[in-house]
Amino acid sequence: MKRMRGVELMAFAAVLAVAVAIAFNGSGYAVQVLTSTAIFIVLACGWNIISGLTGYVSFGQVAFFGLGAYLAAGLIVNLHVPWYAAAALAGLGAAVVAAPLGAIMLRLQGIFFALGMFGLARIGQIAATSMGATGGAMGESVPTTGNALETTLTILGLACGAVLLTHLLMGSRLGLQLMAVRDDEAAAKGAGVHADAVKVAAFCISGCLAGLAGALYVWNIAYVDPTSAFNGTIELQTILMVLVGGIGSTWGPVIGAILISLLGQVLWARFPMQEQIILGAITILVVIVAPGGLVSIVNRFGWLQRRPVWSPPPAPGVPPGTRPPLGAAFGKGRNARLRGEHLRKQFGGVVAVGDVNLTTEEGSILAIIGPNGAGKSTLFDLLSGFARPTEGKVYFGDRELTGIKPHIVARSGIARTFQTSRVFPSLTVWETVLLASSSLNRSRRVAAAETARILSQVGLLDQWASLPERLSPGQQRLLEIARALALHPRVLLLDEAMAGMTPQEIGRVHAVLAEVVRQGCSIVAIEHVLPAIAPLASRVQVLDFGKTIAEGPPALVFRDPDVVEAYLGVGEQAAVDAGI
């Protein structure tokens, strides 16, 4: 692996050396192509952050490109700000504008976000047309500084900076959180990730790079006008570059920008009328042959692969005195009882949960059982902040959690799994648990050590570098439990966590649960495989049609005629024969 990384860095250094040589010795045309390619690398890296890492496909990054162009031009023409300062302020200004816009736009999903961004770019173009300060629809010339060599080397250096930023981001806590949000936002929130905040952060970084690219564009051509600054063709070329190179990767935008820039120049010179058609056909071909772009092809041979965040794992265990207590974010030693009082959740005319009370006891296991549609998972959503009750309150100790966001609930000491396995397809086993551990532990060393300890505890440390698709269904469930344990919960909500497990895997889960209960953690478990939870449960609460029909010790509840009838639809003897 280290050898491959070394070769990759050498290849990048060689490409950079060729670019510098062109800047010093190339023809005017070659230097212009190099400068344009470097600007596109900056813009492609920005688009890749919001669309590749975060999963929000944008058709309007050119809005920030144009904003950066006009901010730089305005600062230079009207305030006589030096070029370097104007370019930096243009990027910063785009990020500042992106913050409130992101808080609004990122509430949209899928095609609605893409169309919203497209509309934003159109609004920018209309606004620029009416601005007399920078020439309005006719545009205006902008004085430049330095010579062509200085301009090219500066833009080339900033392109390298954009690539380095992407590399650092993908290996950081923020990058890990962004990839988790992209894969499954609900599961990311359950792991303690403040999804809204990290998405806005990505939007601001992306907007900053786009604004910087716009400023560099004006510096290069010494002119600004609405048509060129908010040019939709620039947006489409950027998207094409990232898709061809490899979306969501570090090197994809670089490879795509270089290839498409060079290919575009050749096509424009020989087939100017057919250039866009040919590029479109190439895009379709790449998407069909390699949906992950050219990077995905070389990944098959071990090249340009993304290295797992903060890896490899250390030896299991945490340095003495550094392990946080259970529910550290909530506070050790406080009353850790989780209480749901008169909880009701209604969807239109359907009552999923109706007047349910629930209380946990420290160091005990409460089993929630009932037929399909009884409201069990909805009850968990109410307890963990994923749904707000129509009526009733949720308390954790003396603190009311009703209406509190899921990531805050998770960090407060209430962790959960989900009814259907929700793992992150593009994150390794290591990264899945690290995501939750790093939400609670700001120290990289402690978070990594805790991740190794928990993976060892559930028997998945040997597969730390595997993707979830390589795990069995039972192992995926174990991975979800490990992710929840990484939050050091005082209350652990398990939603059919042992479904699909082998007897050996169930035995391992039993051992893990016994240990966390011994430490004082309370467990609330929804389970259809009754023999899997019955031996551990201190109490059983039975739901039917959203209401509690029985509660108490397992031996009594499982023989309750109402429970037998609701759960199995059979007589008491048949229930005994069924093992409950």
Side-chain angles (χ1 to χ4, degrees):
M1 179 65 72
K2 291 183 179 179
R3 180 174 178 273
M4 288 184 180
R5 297 292 176 188
V7 173
E8 291 167 7
L9 291 176
M10 290 175 60
F12 178 71
V15 172
L16 182 59
V18 171
V20 173
I22 293 174
F24 277 97
N25 304 308
S27 64
Y29 174 76
V31 171
Q32 186 57 41
V33 172
L34 172 63
T35 304
S36 176
T37 301
I39 292 174
F40 268 114
I41 288 176
V42 176
L43 191 55
C45 286
W47 191 88
N48 186 49
I49 288 172
I50 188 62
S51 298
L53 266 67
T54 316
Y56 278 77
V57 178
S58 172
F59 288 162
Q61 286 303 103
V62 74
F64 297 109
F65 179 86
L67 176 62
Y70 270 91
L71 283 175
L75 289 170
I76 293 166
V77 172
N78 299 314
L79 300 178
H80 309 290
V81 176
W83 247 113
Y84 288 99
L89 289 173
L92 180 61
V96 170
V97 172
L101 284 176
I104 299 171
M105 299 296 294
L106 292 168
R107 295 176 182 271
L108 304 175
Q109 298 285 341
I111 189 63
F112 299 104
F113 174 80
L115 291 176
M117 290 298 297
F118 180 81
L120 190 63
R122 180 59 178 161
I123 292 172
Q125 184 176 4
I126 294 173
T129 302
S130 62
M131 288 174 57
T134 49
M138 299 302 295
E140 184 174 353
S141 297
V142 182
T144 58
T145 185
N147 52 35
L149 177 60
E150 180 182 349
T151 301
T152 301
L153 290 178
T154 301
I155 294 176
L156 187 61
L158 291 173
C160 292
V163 176
L164 178 61
L165 174 63
T166 304
H167 172 72
L168 294 176
L169 183 61
M170 294 189 68
S172 69
R173 177 188 285 108
L174 176 59
L176 179 62
Q177 292 173 335
L178 290 174
M179 289 184 285
V181 168
R182 175 194 63 195
D183 285 358
D184 191 326
E185 186 169 337
K189 291 178 180 178
V193 176
H194 191 341
D196 294 338
V198 301
K199 288 190 295 184
V200 170
F203 196 71
C204 291
I205 296 171
S206 178
C208 178
L209 289 179
L212 183 59
L216 300 178
Y217 177 77
V218 172
W219 189 355
N220 183 44
I221 67 174
Y223 182 79
V224 63
D225 71 285
T227 303
S228 59
F230 296 95
N231 191 343
T233 302
I234 293 178
E235 181 81 32
L236 293 177
Q237 284 181 301
T238 303
I239 295 174
L240 174 62
M241 290 171 179
V242 179
L243 291 180
V244 169
I247 188 170
S249 65
T250 300
W251 301 109
V254 180
I255 295 172
I258 294 173
L259 290 181
I260 297 301
S261 293
L262 296 178
L263 183 59
Q265 292 295 325
V266 173
L267 293 176
W268 181 81
R270 297 191 178 186
F271 310 101
M273 303 301 295
Q274 294 82 25
E275 176 192 1
Q276 297 299 318
I277 297 175
I278 296 174
L279 288 177
I282 292 173
T283 304
I284 294 173
L285 179 63
V286 171
V287 169
I288 293 175
V289 175
L294 297 176
V295 166
S296 67
I297 297 177
V298 298
N299 283 165
R300 301 170 188 172
F301 303 97
W303 298 97
L304 303 182
Q305 290 182 336
R306 183 180 66 82
R307 186 177 181 180
V309 176
W310 296 358
S311 64
V318 179
T322 61
R323 181 183 301 176
L326 290 172
F330 183 73
K332 184 177 180 181
R334 299 180 63 174
N335 182 358
R337 296 174 64 194
L338 176 64
R339 292 179 290 125
E341 296 184 354
H342 303 290
L343 294 176
R344 177 184 178 89
K345 184 61 178 178
Q346 186 169 342
F347 300 96
V350 178
V351 178
V353 175
D355 196 25
V356 170
N357 294 301
L358 179 145
T359 303
T360 65
E361 298 294 339
E362 185 172 332
S364 67
I365 297 179
L366 169 64
I368 304 291
I369 68 172
N372 291 330
K376 304 182 298 296
S377 293
T378 302
L379 177 62
F380 267 24
D381 287 343
L382 299 177
L383 296 173
S384 57
F386 281 88
R388 189 183 183 96
T390 306
E391 297 177 11
K393 304 288 185 179
V394 177
Y395 295 93
F396 186 33
D398 55 3
R399 178 185 181 187
E400 184 180 348
L401 295 184
T402 311
I404 300 296
K405 293 184 177 181
H407 73 277
I408 298 178
V409 174
R411 295 179 188 179
S412 296
I414 302 173
R416 68 166 296 179
T417 64
F418 295 86
Q419 183 178 20
T420 56
S421 185
R422 304 189 76 155
V423 291
F424 306 109
S426 63
L427 300 189
T428 63
V429 168
W430 168 262
E431 291 170 326
T432 299
V433 180
L434 179 67
L435 175 73
S437 183
S438 62
S439 296
L440 196 63
N441 303 292
R442 305 308 297 176
S443 167
R444 170 175 174 170
R445 180 173 65 101
V446 174
E450 268 294 274
T451 300
R453 182 187 67 81
I454 292 170
L455 285 176
S456 177
Q457 186 179 16
V458 300
L460 292 177
L461 186 60
D462 290 342
Q463 301 190 61
W464 69 273
S466 300
L467 292 174
E469 63 183 13
R470 298 184 60 183
L471 303 180
S472 68
Q475 289 175 322
Q476 291 183 10
R477 289 291 190 178
L478 280 170
L479 180 58
E480 279 196 285
I481 294 174
R483 183 177 66 199
L485 292 176
L487 291 167
H488 287 268
R490 298 299 300 267
V491 178
L492 179 60
L493 308 177
L494 300 179
D495 195 344
E496 299 186 37
M498 286 177 272
M501 286 189 176
T502 65
Q504 292 77 13
E505 291 167 340
I506 291 176
R508 180 175 289 275
V509 172
H510 281 188
V512 171
L513 297 185
E515 174 61 20
V516 297
V517 166
R518 187 188 65 79
Q519 296 177 19
C521 179
S522 304
I523 297 176
V524 183
I526 295 173
E527 195 58 66
H528 277 296
V529 183
L530 297 183
I533 194 62
L536 301 177
S538 305
R539 292 183 298 127
V540 176
Q541 187 167 344
V542 185
L543 298 185
D544 190 27
F545 292 106
K547 294 185 177 181
T548 301
I549 62 172
E551 182 178 1
L556 295 179
V557 171
F558 288 156
R559 292 183 177 273
D560 188 305
D562 292 335
V563 173
V564 174
E565 181 66 25
Y567 197 82
L568 293 175
V570 295
E572 182 176 341
Q573 186 58 47
V576 173
D577 294 340
I580 65 170

